[in-house]
């Protein structure tokens, strides 16, 4: 008799579901509080320290942040940097992982050891800054992308994925006259959709939430990303930071603006999950070999 069909198994399932639902609700609670605060009036935020449903709904905080050029510019900057950075990271990671998966590659062991060394030991903040400065990348958007172009841990995982693919796929393609680039683009990448989607999401979230890189490398406030703008607003409630001032006669809701900026900075990246979730559940080798 299977464990889940027994009384103990059913009790375990119920307890497991209850615990997981409770943990999920606890994780969701702060987000609901921030969302409710962004839709509440300033008077209610001053009067009530905690609530999950505002007494009076107000979109004044969102109107305030969307009326500033600084916020819109930082949002567009972050979207563009995230999109370009994700493509760059995927390109360099996959094009390096593919040859490293070939056991016949000359110097393969040395290269893998270098990757493993980089995964364990980091150069540190100051050496990295000096390299970025020497390359002339300071105060440019490339300083937010190129230093993170390859993640050693992700590289090792993708390399192992390529190694697990059936060798017969490549051999049959070579018999048909395909070269290495054609094999990678037309044979292997279509099989990499689960891995590609997973790491695209990881890279996008990492770049979107990156705060240290723009803080270190960007001096021009007009090039700030959304995380830098969020930091400025939450610290000083200054909506015009890094941009043109809003109407001097208009007083924005200070607390509501902070909550609204957090929501706007969080929601866009969350929208990627429903589109990529199906790839997480798929097996990495589904459809690679038939019969």
């Amino acid at each position: 008799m299977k464990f889940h069909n027994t009384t103990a198994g059913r009790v375990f399932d119920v307890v497991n579901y209850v615990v997981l639902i409770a943990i999920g609700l606890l994780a969701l609670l702060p987000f609901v509080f921030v969302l409710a605060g962004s839709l509440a009036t300033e008077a209610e935020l001053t009067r009530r320290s905690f609530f999950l449903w505002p007494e009076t709904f107000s979109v004044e905080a969102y109107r305030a942040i969307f009326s500033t050029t600084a916020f819109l510019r930082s949002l567009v900057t972050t979207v563009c940097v995230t999109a370009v950075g994700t493509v760059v990271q995927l390109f360099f990671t996959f094009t390096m992982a593919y040859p490293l998966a070939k056991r016949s590659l000359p110097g393969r062991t040395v290269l893998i050891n270098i990757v493993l060394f980089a995964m364990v030991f980091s150069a540190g903040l100051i050496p990295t800054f000096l390299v970025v400065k020497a390359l002339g990348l300071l105060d440019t958007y490339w300083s937010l992308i190129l230093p993170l172009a390859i993640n050693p841990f992700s590289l090792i995982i993708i390399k192992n994925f390529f190694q697990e693919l059936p060798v017969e796929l490549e051999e049959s393609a070579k018999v048909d006259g395909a070269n290495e680039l054609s094999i990678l683009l037309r044979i292997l990448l279509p099989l990499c959709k689960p891995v590609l989607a997973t790491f695209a999401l990881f890279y996008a979230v990492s770049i979107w939430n990156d705060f240290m890189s723009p803080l270190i490398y960007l001096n021009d406030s007009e090039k700030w990303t959304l995380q830098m703008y969020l930091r400025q607003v939450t610290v000083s409630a200054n909506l015009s930071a890094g941009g043109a001032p809003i109407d001097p006669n208009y007083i924005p809701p200070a607390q509501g603006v902070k909550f609204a900026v957090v929501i706007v900075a969080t929601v866009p990246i969350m929208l990627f999950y429903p589109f990529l979730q199906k790839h997480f559940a798929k097996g990495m080798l589904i459809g690679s070999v038939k019969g």
Side-chain angles (χ1 to χ4, degrees):
M1 182 179 294
K2 294 183 179 180
F3 175 74
H4 291 285
N5 295 330
T6 64
T7 302
R10 288 191 290 269
V11 171
F12 174 80
D13 290 339
V14 171
V15 173
N16 194 28
Y17 283 129
V18 170
V19 172
L20 292 177
I21 291 173
I23 295 175
L25 292 176
L26 288 176
L28 191 62
L29 189 62
F31 182 81
V32 175
F33 168 65
V34 174
L35 178 62
S38 68
L39 295 173
T41 61
E42 193 71 5
E44 184 177 357
L45 288 171
T46 304
R47 187 179 71 257
R48 303 172 65 187
S49 60
F50 181 82
F51 57 90
L52 300 178
W53 189 267
E55 296 175 350
T56 304
F57 283 88
S58 173
V59 295
E60 189 66 21
Y62 291 97
R63 187 180 77 84
I65 62 175
F66 279 104
S67 65
T68 63
T69 58
F71 170 78
L72 296 177
R73 183 173 55 248
S74 66
L75 179 61
V76 172
T77 297
T78 304
V79 171
C80 294
V81 169
T82 300
V84 175
T86 301
V87 172
V88 169
Q89 289 193 2
L90 288 175
F91 174 79
F92 282 109
T93 304
F94 273 81
T95 53
M96 185 174 181
Y98 176 65
L100 287 180
K102 305 292 185 180
R103 300 187 184 277
S104 59
L105 178 69
R108 175 177 178 269
T109 303
V110 176
L111 293 175
I112 291 178
N113 289 333
I114 292 175
V115 173
L116 293 175
F117 182 86
M119 184 171 62
V120 178
F121 299 99
S122 172
L125 178 60
I126 295 178
T128 304
F129 177 84
L130 294 177
V131 171
V132 172
K133 181 180 179 180
L135 294 175
L137 300 178
L138 284 183
D139 220 20
T140 67
Y141 295 130
W142 288 112
S143 64
L144 311 180
I145 298 173
L146 294 182
L148 305 174
I150 296 181
N151 184 292
F153 179 75
S154 302
L155 176 64
I156 294 299
I157 295 179
I158 297 174
K159 177 192 73 70
N160 293 337
F161 170 79
F162 279 126
Q163 288 183 181
E164 294 175 358
L165 292 176
V167 181
E168 291 78 10
L169 292 174
E170 298 184 38
E171 292 178 347
S172 61
K174 289 180 180 179
V175 170
D176 294 334
N179 55 27
E180 294 291 345
L181 184 60
S182 298
I183 294 174
L184 175 62
L185 296 179
R186 302 177 62 181
I187 305 297
L188 300 183
L189 281 186
L191 304 177
C192 296
K193 288 182 179 180
V195 177
L196 192 65
T198 300
F199 284 98
L201 180 61
F202 289 164
Y203 289 153
V205 172
S206 176
I207 298 173
W208 182 277
N209 293 330
D210 187 14
F211 169 73
M212 288 300 298
S213 295
L215 178 64
I216 297 171
Y217 302 130
L218 298 182
N219 298 318
D220 188 356
S221 59
E222 293 189 355
K223 296 181 180 179
W224 278 357
T225 61
L226 191 58
Q227 301 305 323
M228 286 293 294
Y229 181 82
L230 173 61
R231 178 245 185 195
Q232 185 66 23
V233 170
T234 54
V235 170
S236 63
N238 181 15
L239 282 177
S240 61
I246 59 176
D247 185 357
N249 298 322
Y250 173 69
I251 302 177
Q255 294 299 323
V257 162
K258 295 179 181 180
F259 289 131
V261 173
V262 172
I263 292 297
V264 175
T266 305
V267 169
I269 200 66
M270 292 177 59
L271 297 179
F272 281 95
Y273 282 91
F275 297 101
L276 301 178
Q277 182 181 7
K278 63 179 181 179
H279 295 291
F280 297 153
K282 289 181 179 179
M284 291 186 179
L285 297 180
I286 288 181
S288 61
V289 178
K290 296 293 184 181

